[in-house]
Amino acid sequence: AVVKIHYASANPVDWKVVAGAVDGVWETRMPHTVGYDFSGVIDSLDETDTQAKFKTGDEVFAVNWGVGSHSSEYTIGGAFAEYILIPISRLSKKPEGLSHKVAAASCLVGTTAYQATTECAAVTKGQNILVLGGAGSVGSVVIGVAKQLGVTVATTASERNKEWVESLGADIIVDYHKQNWYDVSQLKGFDAIIDTVGEEEACENGLKSGVLKPDGRFVSIVNAAVGFDPTSHPTLRYRAFYCLRNEPDHQDKIASGLLDGSIKMRFDKEFPFTNEGVREILKRQQTGKAQGKLTLKLV
């Protein structure tokens, strides 16, 4: 399908790809157009697009990513452009009540958070989870998804973000400027930890302190040093770096949560689709100081 893009959003991976930081780790086909998240309108369909649920003029959104990796038989990325060519199997229909801006911002962080929480951490009602970096875009969605499941959530956050994570439903908040989470006596015997900040030795600290159960689960979406084999640890049921896969059903679930308010996102700044605008959105993303999602307005 060819989609006319109305909004795109930036993620940390964008500047990392541009800077060459993933060279040798992920395959990046050249030439590469930056951007993975978008929302827009189907401009045309190929005659081989037989999925009847889509038609020209439909409002759609997606993360143009591979399946668990940065490589794919089809081109990935390409969202910082007026039009994108994408397999129809990666698209979700945009709900009427969701703006293009919010839909575009939800895809990569939403599917990452959903998969990390429900599949990797695999937490269920009555269990507990610690989210390292709950105020970030992925961490915020992890909290929302976990609360949907009836899970008790602890998170690390700074004082300036305390009100935000409270609004997401976090039950326990640790100010990482004041104390290490693994020194908090209240945090013991957690079923899972999801690391969204790349904290060094987080898994080891969790186990040594008793915060993480010996047979718990540790997931990092940032620190590849924990390895890629979930079964590598002798006692943990899961310990690995996790990379999302495109999954329209999960895109749909995040969109539903955004509509009913059980999942929340915040926005930092919107940029115009100009040479300067693209440079500035990448520069802002790289600073790590954005308080929420950064978006690119095309229409």
Side-chain angles (χ1 to χ4, degrees):
V2 175
V3 178
K4 181 176 176 59
I5 297 176
H6 285 218
Y7 266 92
S9 74
N11 296 282
V13 68
D14 293 312
W15 73 260
K16 291 178 182 179
V17 169
V18 171
V22 300
D23 290 357
V25 179
W26 287 335
E27 175 190 354
T28 303
R29 293 184 185 179
M30 296 297 177
H32 175 76
T33 300
V34 180
Y36 300 92
D37 286 339
F38 69 91
S39 183
V41 176
I42 293 179
D43 185 73
S44 62
L45 295 170
D46 187 272
E47 58 185 19
T48 60
D49 289 333
T50 57
Q51 295 187 31
K53 67 176 183 177
F54 293 106
K55 64 182 185 301
T56 302
D58 280 349
E59 295 184 324
V60 294
F61 68 106
V63 52
N64 194 19
W65 196 267
V67 179
S69 74
H70 193 251
S71 59
S72 167
E73 62 179 303
Y74 300 104
T75 300
I76 65 171
F80 286 11
E82 291 177 290
Y83 292 87
I84 188 169
L85 176 64
I86 183 172
I88 200 167
S89 60
R90 295 182 184 173
L91 297 175
S92 287
K93 275 193 176 180
K94 184 181 75 64
E96 195 173 317
L98 203 66
S99 70
H100 281 295
K101 178 176 179 175
V102 175
S106 72
C107 307
L108 189 149
V109 297
T111 51
T112 298
Y114 187 86
Q115 291 159 14
T117 307
T118 64
E119 297 176 353
C120 305
V123 284
T124 56
K125 186 175 182 179
Q127 292 189 314
N128 51 16
I129 190 171
L130 170 63
V131 184
L132 302 182
S137 294
V138 174
S140 294
V141 181
V142 168
I143 293 173
V145 172
K147 296 310 293 183
Q148 284 179 335
L149 297 170
V151 173
T152 298
V153 178
T155 188
T156 58
S158 62
E159 180 63 32
R160 68 172 181 167
N161 286 314
K162 183 180 179 183
E163 190 175 327
W164 169 245
V165 293
E166 282 179 339
S167 76
L168 300 173
D171 301 285
I172 303 168
I173 302 167
V174 178
D175 185 341
Y176 61 84
H177 286 304
K178 295 179 180 177
Q179 58 186 150
N180 295 318
W181 55 267
Y182 44 83
D183 292 331
V184 179
S185 59
Q186 191 180 1
L187 302 183
K188 296 294 178 187
F190 273 63
D191 296 288
I193 295 175
I194 293 183
D195 166 36
T196 74
V197 295
E199 184 175 323
E200 290 186 15
E201 299 187 353
C203 183
E204 291 77 5
N205 287 331
L207 285 168
K208 282 190 295 185
S209 63
V211 173
L212 182 62
K213 288 180 178 178
D215 64 344
R217 293 169 178 262
F218 181 87
V219 189
S220 180
I221 64 162
V222 181
N223 187 10
V226 300
F228 298 88
D229 179 4
T231 64
S232 62
H233 193 272
T235 66
L236 292 174
R237 285 181 290 167
Y238 187 108
R239 183 188 72 169
F241 169 80
Y242 182 72
C243 174
L244 79 148
R245 68 180 186 278
N246 171 272
E247 185 63 69
D249 181 55
H250 297 168
Q251 292 171 171
D252 296 339
K253 283 182 166 62
I254 296 300
S256 295
L258 288 165
L259 282 173
D260 67 25
S262 59
I263 293 173
K264 298 177 182 178
M265 297 181 68
R266 56 181 177 173
F267 292 82
D268 183 84
K269 190 175 180 181
E270 181 180 297
F271 296 82
F273 183 56
T274 61
N275 286 336
E276 183 65 18
V278 171
R279 280 194 291 267
E280 288 302 313
I281 196 172
L282 292 173
K283 192 181 299 182
R284 176 68 176 164
Q285 186 72 68
Q286 188 173 1
T287 66
K289 296 179 180 178
Q291 293 286 289
K293 290 292 293 182
L294 303 171
T295 54
L296 196 64
K297 186 179 187 330
L298 289 94
V299 174

